[in-house]
Amino acid sequence: PDRLARGLRSKINSQRWRERLLKGADEPLQPMSAWQREALQELHGLGRKTLTEYEARRFVAHWQVTGVREERTTTVEAALAVAGQLGYPVVLKVESPDIPHKTEAGVVRLGVQSDVELSQAYTEIMHNAEHHAPNAQVLGVLVQEMVRGGIETIVGLSQDSLFGPVLLFGMGGI
C-alpha cells in the first residue's frame, strides 16, 4: 500500500506539473551561478560530445548531485594510492569517452580487495581497452569506493536532431 500511495502521489504531482506547464505557468529556472557557467564552459572546451563517467559526475556535482567517492588515475601507483585512501574493496573502470559499454569491453573490476589484485586488474583493464577499441582515447582508470546496497541507476542526456532533448533514466550496474 505504501508503494502504491507513493506511486499515485507521484502521478498526481506529475499531472499537476504538466497542467501548469500547458497553461504557461512554468516555474522560472534559477539562473546558473558563476561556477556552474564555468563548469559548462570547461565541458565545451573538451571538444567532444561524450563525457566520461568521471567528467559527468564532476559536472553534476555543481548542482549538488553527489555520487561515490572516486578519483581518475593514470598509473598503477596512483591507483594504489587512491585505493589506500578510499579503503578496500574498490571498483576499477577505464576512463574513456570512446568506450561507453565498459562491462562488454571487459574494462570494469568490482570488489578489488588488495594491492596485488588492484595491480593485476589495472593491467588487465588497460590491455582489454586497447584490444576492444585500439583507437580509443583512454584518459586513465577510475578508482571508486565499492558501495553495497541501494539501487544503482543510469542517467543520461542527449540532443537528438529529430526529438530534441532526450533523457535516459534506468537501472544501472552490470
Side-chain angles (χ1 to χ4, degrees):
D2 291 341
R3 286 176 46 195
L4 175 60
R6 282 193 303 273
L8 288 173
R9 170 56 52 201
S10 178
K11 178 65 177 156
I12 291 167
N13 288 343
S14 175
Q15 185 63 30
R16 287 179 181 162
W17 173 83
R18 183 178 181 276
E19 288 170 2
R20 283 194 318 268
L21 181 66
L22 291 174
K23 290 178 184 175
D26 193 19
E27 299 166 12
L29 293 175
Q30 294 294 320
M32 281 195 287
S33 68
W35 46 275
Q36 289 169 334
R37 280 192 304 276
E38 188 177 302
L40 189 58
Q41 288 174 344
E42 181 182 325
L43 292 184
H44 284 298
L46 293 175
R48 53 184 153 82
K49 292 182 178 184
T50 304
L51 301 178
T52 66
E53 180 178 345
Y54 181 70
E55 293 164 345
R57 201 178 328 277
R58 284 186 59 215
F59 179 70
V60 299
H62 288 90
W63 282 264
Q64 289 75 47
V65 178
T66 59
V68 297
R69 294 180 301 143
E70 64 186 359
E71 192 62 47
R72 183 166 59 191
T73 62
T74 56
T75 65
V76 172
E77 295 76 21
L80 288 167
V82 171
Q85 292 170 352
L86 295 177
Y88 288 103
V90 295
V91 174
L92 301 182
K93 299 177 183 177
V94 77
E95 263 290 285
S96 172
D98 303 316
I99 306 176
H101 303 289
K102 295 174 184 62
T103 302
E104 291 84 347
V107 294
V108 176
R109 293 296 180 277
L110 302 176
V112 176
Q113 297 285 345
S114 68
D115 287 358
V116 171
E117 206 176 314
L118 185 142
S119 295
Q120 291 172 337
Y122 192 103
T123 301
E124 289 172 8
I125 284 172
M126 294 302 279
H127 171 77
N128 291 349
E130 173 64 29
H131 184 265
H132 177 78
N135 298 321
Q137 178 187 19
V138 175
L139 303 173
V141 172
L142 191 60
V143 181
Q144 297 176 323
E145 66 180 325
M146 181 81 184
V147 177
R148 298 194 190 281
I151 298 173
E152 189 170 350
T153 60
I154 182 170
V155 179
L157 180 65
S158 182
Q159 182 69 28
D160 184 83
S161 60
L162 180 61
F163 295 107
V166 178
L167 177 68
L168 160 71
F169 182 82
M171 296 300 293
I174 294 177

